[in-house]
Amino acid sequence: MALMRDPDTDINNIGIYRHEVHENNMLGVQFSETADANVIWKKYETRGQPCPVAIIIGHHPGFFIGSLAFSSMDTDELEVAGAILQEAVPTVKCKTIPLDVPANAEIILECETIPGERRKEAPFGEYPGTYGPQRNNPVLEIKAITRRKNAFYQNAFVGHADNLLLSGIIRTTFIERTVKIACPNVREIAIPRSGRFRFFCFISIKKMMEGEAKQVAMAAFVADPFLKFVIVVDEDVDVYNDTEVLHAISVRVRADHDIFMVPYAKGSPLDPASYDPAGGSHLVTKTGIDATRKDNYPDEIYVPGNEEIDLTEFIPGYTK
Amino acid sequence: MALMRDPDTDINNIGIYRHEVHENNMLGVQFSETADANVIWKKYETRGQPCPVAIIIGHHPGFFIGSLAFSSMDTDELEVAGAILQEAVPTVKCKTIPLDVPANAEIILECETIPGERRKEAPFGEYPGTYGPQRNNPVLEIKAITRRKNAFYQNAFVGHADNLLLSGIIRTTFIERTVKIACPNVREIAIPRSGRFRFFCFISIKKMMEGEAKQVAMAAFVADPFLKFVIVVDEDVDVYNDTEVLHAISVRVRADHDIFMVPYAKGSPLDPASYDPAGGSHLVTKTGIDATRKDNYPDEIYVPGNEEIDLTEFIPGYTK
Amino acid sequence: MALMRDPDTDINNIGIYRHEVHENNMLGVQFSETADANVIWKKYETRGQPCPVAIIIGHHPGFFIGSLAFSSMDTDELEVAGAILQEAVPTVKCKTIPLDVPANAEIILECETIPGERRKEAPFGEYPGTYGPQRNNPVLEIKAITRRKNAFYQNAFVGHADNLLLSGIIRTTFIERTVKIACPNVREIAIPRSGRFRFFCFISIKKMMEGEAKQVAMAAFVADPFLKFVIVVDEDVDVYNDTEVLHAISVRVRADHDIFMVPYAKGSPLDPASYDPAGGSHLVTKTGIDATRKDNYPDEIYVPGNEEIDLTEFIPGYTK
Amino acid sequence: MALMRDPDTDINNIGIYRHEVHENNMLGVQFSETADANVIWKKYETRGQPCPVAIIIGHHPGFFIGSLAFSSMDTDELEVAGAILQEAVPTVKCKTIPLDVPANAEIILECETIPGERRKEAPFGEYPGTYGPQRNNPVLEIKAITRRKNAFYQNAFVGHADNLLLSGIIRTTFIERTVKIACPNVREIAIPRSGRFRFFCFISIKKMMEGEAKQVAMAAFVADPFLKFVIVVDEDVDVYNDTEVLHAISVRVRADHDIFMVPYAKGSPLDPASYDPAGGSHLVTKTGIDATRKDNYPDEIYVPGNEEIDLTEFIPGYTK
Amino acid sequence: MALMRDPDTDINNIGIYRHEVHENNMLGVQFSETADANVIWKKYETRGQPCPVAIIIGHHPGFFIGSLAFSSMDTDELEVAGAILQEAVPTVKCKTIPLDVPANAEIILECETIPGERRKEAPFGEYPGTYGPQRNNPVLEIKAITRRKNAFYQNAFVGHADNLLLSGIIRTTFIERTVKIACPNVREIAIPRSGRFRFFCFISIKKMMEGEAKQVAMAAFVADPFLKFVIVVDEDVDVYNDTEVLHAISVRVRADHDIFMVPYAKGSPLDPASYDPAGGSHLVTKTGIDATRKDNYPDEIYVPGNEEIDLTEFIPGYTK
Amino acid sequence: MALMRDPDTDINNIGIYRHEVHENNMLGVQFSETADANVIWKKYETRGQPCPVAIIIGHHPGFFIGSLAFSSMDTDELEVAGAILQEAVPTVKCKTIPLDVPANAEIILECETIPGERRKEAPFGEYPGTYGPQRNNPVLEIKAITRRKNAFYQNAFVGHADNLLLSGIIRTTFIERTVKIACPNVREIAIPRSGRFRFFCFISIKKMMEGEAKQVAMAAFVADPFLKFVIVVDEDVDVYNDTEVLHAISVRVRADHDIFMVPYAKGSPLDPASYDPAGGSHLVTKTGIDATRKDNYPDEIYVPGNEEIDLTEFIPGYTK
């Protein structure tokens, strides 16, 4: 987890990047083209200056979730983390670089980029569970290492659930804001594990009129460009349950009517099913599915009096 | 469960049909246009003769599964049931109609159709969980009721899991036979609950060449016309796990390349997402999805030595 | 222009509705299913109470634009109008109904709906320039008419530019907010007259990566469901100039690559090109067009020194 | 503008080609593969003979328009130019090559190709406003230059309106001939500036039956292979007004019903949105749009008596 | 075969229409909406005048072919028939109506329409081999019958080859003229029996560049709106041989690349595969197929010396 | 024709492969990746052993047809050949390799592969009539040649009818088995010459319900992956007659309703219209066509009494 500061606005930006250990005091770093960190680093690079980067190892999970918020560059992510933790994050000045870092982190690596320097990095495992293409990345020189007493070394295993889950949680809040523009009656939004917390989004709505579900699907794609499949269901479907979502597709979808595709759309450059995975293409085909009941959907089976039956009267020991 | 006999071949046919109670000794019956029973009944009807039908209530589950086999009219389904039960089904002659019925069934209703007679039946709940359109159906007159001592009344609740599951199991064996024509290396075939044991089929294969998965999907559609979505995955995916199947879609599918649709295809006349559900149209859009890794799929993350780690050494009390 | 008040929150809502004169003191009114007024009116109707409605005839144009803002029901549109006018709108109590109306409007009709009453309305000309289907609409009883001295009667001619333009202006602000989610570098947004200020949206962006334009198009569809065609262009194209937008399509679009369609999508129930215009269907096909230069776009002609030429030196009397 | 003569038929052919100045008396020339000049030049080349080419600089605009006519090789384009000018073009014999050139041209360059000789030409700006790929082109040797007294040097600036407009005008006459086969009631045909006088064609018709507009669109594509978008409108739409044409699309088109595409179709090798612009591919996707009112189009707003109102009675000084 | 005369221009028009015998001297007649005869008849009908119609029974086949030419209303079809027969058609005045009819026809029915009169006609067999929908058609009163001595009664059996072939022949000449606009090197054009001489067109070309074949297909659709499938092949394929055309499709077509469809296009109101055959819809889907070799087509097997082998030397009695 | 024996099961496998003569006693051989022979050869190769191959030149046609059966590796193709010939194939032991070969073949080449050895083979003409890409193939060493007295040298000319026809015949039996799963009422199945006995399949069925034809088309694709176009017709159409099949398409197909495509599907690596013929891609687009009459097909012309007319009474010498 790396903390950087915009040289123009002094606003802090935090993100998780991965590092290859080049030498004892040299780390590679991949500032993804889609990350705010990339913008900040380029500001220093253009000025021929080293960019200070503080790598924070080990902190409270709420700190991580807050720092990973989808926020604009106008937002100080240290403050978002504080909001999640429900108290301001106490900070301390770094010893060798002009940054303030969380006071109760386990370990801090104080680093600077070396302007103009790039090194080849061997392929890394990435969040889709696959290796991305080799890259020519900037290099961080470690200026100092500070740590708490008996510090824990906390690691996130890229491409595994511990790592993926972190960003899945925070994504839904942002998606919800955009989806509400399309449909005021949105009920639940899930970014499920089955889509690696990135590629799928399941949304339940109380539909007011036909066609709303496709608006909702587009809204989710707009909010989160990594999404490839958005499935919209009625409010009686539990979006946290893959089986229920699939069931809605099985009975409520006529594929040529209810599915739309957007080819050559913006996705993730690490997507293993992009138009050119080896070349790092970020162009993918997006698929929106309206799995709500349509106007002509037949009535569903309903057993009158059903809800008044108390199974404990019939089955000894039955608990709901 | 109704047993009938082909008047030309004397071969027994068994199926589950639903009955509306018209009067004390009068039952409606729906012989679906796609059922063999329909052919047998029409043979009698054309000759102006009553068609004997023995309704069997209550038997061993294996008997039910066997009787529901997808078999041609040349197969005596009493024998298939015997095969599943691993012993011949003992039978006994009916008292009023010329049929032999299982000796150890709970209750037998001996009935005959009334030639030419039809009655409107109120909408019934059907397997998709919805009400089908009203129909004009033939009528059974109950000639006699025989039963075991202390007979149980066994009922199947149409559209609920106890009823749906029965046919899901037996379908896979038939599908497998056809899928093997397309791909010798088929691994597992699931007809999952998420598709109401009718609309979805998940198949894992060891793929030998690109394009095989689409052949496999077509084979499943051929074997079982009720299927609407067939998803083909690699052998490392557990087809009995909806989440794993969805995961394969999320990382291994480029929708415009890997999905094909067949519009105006033959499905079920009760499909609530057909081209005209109210009119009982059986035309649907079928969708095949190749969710296997493609030739250009990147390598997946692999941690060497991973399989030699014994977590019980690190986590006290850990069990796999 | 009708002012109503939410009986639960006392928040004012203003909109333009059209009225058929039934009798001297009876007016029809069409509260479109998509309007907030419909929600307010239904609250009264459910309680069996008359819904007070003050019809405001004649005011400052800024008042109209503000009142037509796309805002949620939580927003008092009288305040939005005030914001546009840059001073609070002075109000005065109605004489016969519990509403406050703008003090300097020309004419006020104080009305109440008659609970349960509906009357057929002859087809009206609507904003697309066509007649909509006949409807069964609620009825307003006029309780009192108040007016300024020498009051002007101001009318908006439905389906003509004076009427259409009003809502075109205010739409772009709302669309911009959503489009910025998809693309931070949005430049200009036009809702042009060529699309009747409803159906087209032209957006210019400074594109950072391929595929962004399709995200932008989806965002515009999400923000304004009446839009049917969204065309996204590079920042060198003037979106207020139809000819420039068309030119971008002519040289920068490969139709099978750059156009996507969303069929059976939510549009306007008055759309004359919907799936069933006579039946008042609001389902339409939406079309997004990425008319930006693609990665493989050739270099454009550039004449070095061109910008240093001063044509006034060569052509007497030339002005730029 | 180059005049050549078919060595088999002695028929004159005139076209505009662009030249790179290699040396004082050496010019490159690009005879496009789609031009008649290419056929003529190849006839000489196959025989190992120099091909005489007279470059005409400066003449009456009517002469240019006539020479650019889409005509078969059987037509002497000098005569077409004469038809436009409404008098025979007076000619004079060249001094060094066996051709007759217009007597009142400003400057004539008498040239011959050098058989077998080819030179690389740096990328040129082309009519789409972009640079085309580098080419290996034949070479002209200038044998003599003749000119009028005080001759003007007239130049056409490739890719700019003065140059583009020339061929736009003459294209419509040819397109009209073909479109009339599809629809006798064609009204107006425009090749607008918004499509660089090449890529768009707007056609108004008095439609007799549904489907006619798509026939018309195909006819335009047939007549002029450079066209990529043909939009067909009703006769009340002014095809010389981009805004009116867009307006017709906005209210009269349901995209999935009224638009057809022809992928991998024959277009221009310089098209910047072809399947491979860098490789000079001439394959493009063509799009035909039927923007006429369909059978189910609602009635349009009509104000009876409207045409009898004389606004000059109401608005002092009003002129239509 | 009916001869009529345009009341404005006195130009003769000839066509084949079918007649229902209502009574002894009353015939129904169907002037198809797409026929010139319909225009002529309506001119009389508008003026409230009876329209004279001479029905010609029995003549030389060349006379029939000429009369069925696809020609504009400016062309006197009696003259076209003369051109085919290579001598002017001798005519004779009718006795009761102001028309001139071929002197050597077998039988002439001199008729007039009864203005305003319409009668229901029972469904007729039509050229597609199917019955068309019932129609309300005008009525002809027979004024006189004249005939040659020993006149033959010649009949054309609608929907059978003798009738269909007649128009198939004459169509190709017209199609060729339009196709040449798209491709100068068109070789052969067939309107085969397999398409009932109406629905298919097979065209061979010497292709100069990729994409030309689709231009050719569009040209054929433009020339003859009844065509539904146009298949374009290389010049080595015999278009008069269905097997060779199919063979070209089998080896030279990649369906998603080489086939284009135009849905909701103008076809024949009698087409049994239109969007609504019972309703007499003339809207159909047109399909163009480029079955030429593509740029990446592999070399074909060639046996050097093959053409020098004289099989008669090896196989006694062999003839080519 | 090469006979090999599975080293694990001792089951004989026979196929036709093509050989390049490298030297006097050295032949190249192409065991296609899709052939069982490839599996057998690889078993020897993996063990580092020479694989014995007996090349059989000249035998009864029935022997060839039997040997080319689409059968699994569990089937001894020598026995299939015997079944076709209706007597066991008499065999004789080879002299140098451990195989039994047909006793009455004309010539036998006894060969062994050389483990690990590969040689480039010049492009060969293949069954599609085109040259396939160059390959690196295994090599056979000829150990002995045995032959009958006055042995004939029989050759099959690859890519010509004598060679193609052989596999066309045997394919239909296998396809029929799979098609019957989809439709019990299949009538006739043709693999016509027009599709080089590989790419087309024409199937007639007695259709029981709409949609069945698409099931049938999928079944044929499943059974034979080389098929690219499957056309399904009603039982009144003769599938052995290309013209009749085309005719069914012309009157019974609405292309957007009745045609489905499966892109990127498994075909033949030699297909000249694959996605990459030069690269030997086996991915093709498959096209299924339902050319049966649809539910809304109009009645066809029927002349009552037609079948009772005996033309011999009217036309002297007429024979049917």
Side-chain angles (χ1 to χ4, degrees), chain E residues 125-126 128-131 157-160 193-196 199-200 202 228-229 231 242-243 246-256 259 261 263-264 271-278 284-285 287 296-303, chain F residues 125-126 128-131 157-160 193-196 199-200 202 228-229 231 242-243 246-256 259 261 263-264 271-278 284-285 287 296-303:
Chain E
E126 303 282 2
T130 48
Y131 292 98
F157 200 175
V158 176
H160 291 76
R193 184 166 69 90
S194 55
R196 294 193 87 77
F199 297 127
F200 282 145
F202 302 157
K228 283 195 300 186
F229 293 86
I231 301 171
D242 285 349
T243 294
L246 278 172
H247 178 258
I249 292 177
S250 85
V251 289
R252 297 177 192 166
V253 169
R254 202 187 92 202
D256 63 342
I259 295 181
M261 291 188 192
Y264 301 96
D271 195 316
S274 80
Y275 281 85
D276 179 14
V284 301
T285 302
T287 306
N296 65 355
Y297 198 77
D299 288 337
E300 290 178 326
I301 297 177
Y302 169 70
V303 183
Chain F
E126 303 282 1
T130 46
Y131 292 98
F157 199 175
V158 176
H160 291 76
R193 184 166 68 90
S194 54
R196 294 194 87 78
F199 297 128
F200 283 146
F202 303 156
K228 282 193 301 184
F229 294 85
I231 301 171
D242 285 349
T243 293
L246 278 172
H247 178 257
I249 292 177
S250 85
V251 288
R252 297 177 192 166
V253 168
R254 201 187 93 203
D256 62 341
I259 295 180
M261 290 188 192
Y264 301 97
D271 195 316
S274 79
Y275 282 84
D276 179 15
V284 301
T285 301
T287 306
N296 66 356
Y297 198 76
D299 289 337
E300 289 179 326
I301 297 178
Y302 169 69
V303 183

Side-chain angles (χ1 to χ4, degrees), chain D:
Chain D
M1 183 149 261
L3 185 148
M4 296 161 75
R5 189 173 285 171
D6 187 315
D8 296 327
T9 64
D10 276 354
I11 293 174
N12 293 302
N13 189 283
I14 314 181
I16 294 186
Y17 312 103
R18 56 166 184 60
H19 306 283
E20 173 164 353
V21 179
H22 290 307
E23 295 152 49
N24 258 355
N25 65 336
M26 291 292 189
L27 297 175
V29 63
Q30 149 100 0
F31 297 127
S32 168
E33 293 81 349
T34 53
D36 291 345
N38 192 285
V39 180
I40 295 174
W41 163 63
K42 283 214 175 125
K43 286 185 179 178
Y44 285 98
E45 193 77 7
T46 323
R47 298 168 195 183
Q49 293 169 3
C51 168
V53 178
I55 299 173
I56 304 159
I57 298 172
H59 206 289
H60 187 288
F63 177 81
F64 283 91
I65 291 172
S67 313
L68 289 167
F70 266 42
S71 58
S72 70
M73 286 189 61
D74 304 342
T75 311
D76 193 312
E77 286 171 357
L78 219 44
E79 291 173 13
V80 180
I84 297 270
L85 293 169
Q86 295 184 301
E87 55 176 342
V89 177
T91 57
V92 64
K93 281 198 183 314
C94 282
K95 301 208 177 306
T96 62
I97 53 175
L99 293 173
D100 301 271
V101 290
N104 38 21
E106 300 291 324
I107 307 173
I108 301 288
L109 310 185
E110 302 182 5
C111 314
E112 277 180 355
T113 60
I114 306 177
E117 176 98 1
R118 299 288 183 283
R119 296 213 193 152
K120 274 239 164 66
E121 294 187 356
F124 267 88
E126 302 282 3
Y127 73 85
T130 48
Y131 292 98
Q134 216 184 41
R135 304 249 189 173
N136 223 11
N137 274 330
V139 177
L140 296 175
E141 185 178 6
I142 302 174
K143 299 300 215 186
I145 300 180
T146 62
R147 59 180 183 84
R148 296 176 72 177
K149 268 183 202 147
N150 303 316
F152 282 102
Y153 176 75
Q154 185 191 28
N155 194 5
F157 198 176
V158 176
H160 291 76
D162 60 337
N163 172 246
L164 295 170
L165 183 57
L166 286 172
S167 47
I169 292 170
I170 203 76
R171 273 159 195 262
T172 55
T173 61
F174 187 69
I175 293 171
E176 185 179 6
R177 222 161 55 196
T178 313
V179 165
K180 274 204 166 141
I181 299 170
C183 171
N185 297 316
V186 56
R187 288 290 176 264
E188 299 283 344
I189 296 180
I191 301 284
R193 184 166 67 89
S194 54
R196 295 193 88 78
F197 304 103
R198 303 282 171 125
F199 297 128
F200 283 146
C201 184
F202 302 157
I203 305 175
S204 62
I205 62 170
K206 183 167 158 49
K207 190 170 67 167
M208 302 302 282
M209 30 169 65
E210 288 299 322
E212 232 172 339
K214 283 177 184 161
Q215 296 283 103
V216 164
M218 285 195 281
F221 286 135
V222 165
D224 185 347
F226 279 19
L227 292 176
K228 283 194 300 185
F229 295 85
V230 178
I231 302 172
V232 184
V233 295
D234 293 309
E235 61 181 333
D236 61 330
V237 176
D238 177 4
V239 296
Y240 302 109
N241 183 328
D242 285 349
T243 294
E244 286 206 18
V245 171
L246 278 172
H247 179 257
I249 292 177
S250 85
V251 288
R252 298 178 190 165
V253 168
R254 202 186 92 203
D256 62 343
H257 187 286
D258 301 331
I259 295 181
F260 70 91
M261 290 188 193
V262 183
Y264 302 96
K266 179 180 160 191
S268 154
L270 293 168
D271 195 317
S274 78
Y275 282 86
D276 179 15
S281 165
H282 66 277
L283 291 179
V284 301
T285 302
K286 291 179 188 289
T287 306
I289 303 180
D290 174 356
T292 62
R293 291 178 197 87
K294 304 303 164 323
D295 276 351
N296 65 356
Y297 198 76
D299 288 337
E300 290 178 328
I301 298 178
Y302 169 70
V303 184
N306 164 44
E307 60 281 0
E308 286 155 26
I309 296 174
D310 183 355
L311 282 180
T312 56
E313 292 178 15
F314 298 87
I315 307 173
Y318 178 91
T319 53
K320 289 186 193 183

Side-chain angles (χ1 to χ4, degrees), chain A residues 45-68:
Chain A
E45 194 79 7
T46 324
R47 298 166 195 184
Q49 295 171 359
C51 169
V53 179
I55 298 173
I56 305 160
I57 298 172
H59 207 288
H60 187 286
F63 177 82
F64 284 92
I65 290 172
S67 313
L68 290 167

Side-chain angles (χ1 to χ4, degrees), chain A residues 32-283:
Chain A
S32 168
E33 293 81 351
T34 54
D36 290 344
N38 193 283
V39 179
I40 295 173
W41 162 61
K42 283 214 175 127
K43 286 185 180 178
Y44 284 98
E45 194 79 7
T46 324
R47 298 166 195 184
Q49 295 171 359
C51 169
V53 179
I55 298 173
I56 305 160
I57 298 172
H59 207 288
H60 187 286
F63 177 82
F64 284 92
I65 290 172
S67 313
L68 290 167
F70 266 44
S71 56
S72 71
M73 286 189 61
D74 305 340
T75 310
D76 194 312
E77 286 171 358
L78 219 42
E79 292 173 12
V80 180
I84 298 268
L85 293 169
Q86 293 183 300
E87 55 177 341
V89 177
T91 57
V92 64
K93 281 201 180 312
C94 283
K95 299 209 180 305
T96 61
I97 54 175
L99 293 175
D100 301 271
V101 290
N104 37 22
E106 300 292 326
I107 308 172
I108 300 289
L109 310 185
E110 301 182 6
C111 316
E112 277 179 356
T113 60
I114 306 176
E117 177 97 2
R118 299 286 183 283
R119 295 213 194 153
K120 273 241 165 66
E121 295 188 353
F124 268 87
E126 303 281 3
Y127 74 86
T130 46
Y131 291 99
Q134 218 184 37
R135 302 253 188 167
N136 223 10
N137 274 332
V139 177
L140 295 175
E141 185 179 5
I142 302 175
K143 298 300 215 187
I145 299 180
T146 62
R147 58 180 182 85
R148 297 178 73 179
K149 270 184 202 144
N150 302 317
F152 283 101
Y153 177 76
Q154 185 192 28
N155 194 5
F157 199 176
V158 176
H160 291 76
D162 60 339
N163 172 245
L164 295 171
L165 183 56
L166 286 173
S167 47
I169 291 170
I170 203 77
R171 273 160 195 263
T172 55
T173 61
F174 187 70
I175 293 172
E176 186 179 5
R177 223 161 53 196
T178 313
V179 165
K180 274 204 168 142
I181 299 170
C183 172
N185 297 316
V186 57
R187 287 291 176 263
E188 300 281 346
I189 297 180
I191 301 284
R193 183 165 70 91
S194 54
R196 294 192 89 77
F197 304 104
R198 305 282 171 126
F199 297 130
F200 283 145
C201 184
F202 302 157
I203 305 175
S204 62
I205 62 170
K206 182 167 158 51
K207 190 170 67 166
M208 302 301 283
M209 32 169 62
E210 289 298 323
E212 232 172 339
K214 282 177 184 160
Q215 296 284 102
V216 165
M218 285 195 282
F221 286 135
V222 165
D224 186 347
F226 279 20
L227 292 176
K228 283 194 301 184
F229 293 85
V230 178
I231 301 173
V232 184
V233 295
D234 293 308
E235 60 181 334
D236 63 329
V237 176
D238 178 3
V239 296
Y240 303 108
N241 183 327
D242 285 350
T243 294
E244 286 206 18
V245 172
L246 278 172
H247 178 258
I249 292 176
S250 85
V251 288
R252 298 177 190 165
V253 169
R254 201 186 94 202
D256 63 341
H257 187 284
D258 301 331
I259 295 180
F260 69 91
M261 290 187 193
V262 183
Y264 302 96
K266 179 181 159 192
S268 155
L270 293 168
D271 195 317
S274 78
Y275 282 86
D276 179 14
S281 165
H282 66 277
L283 292 179

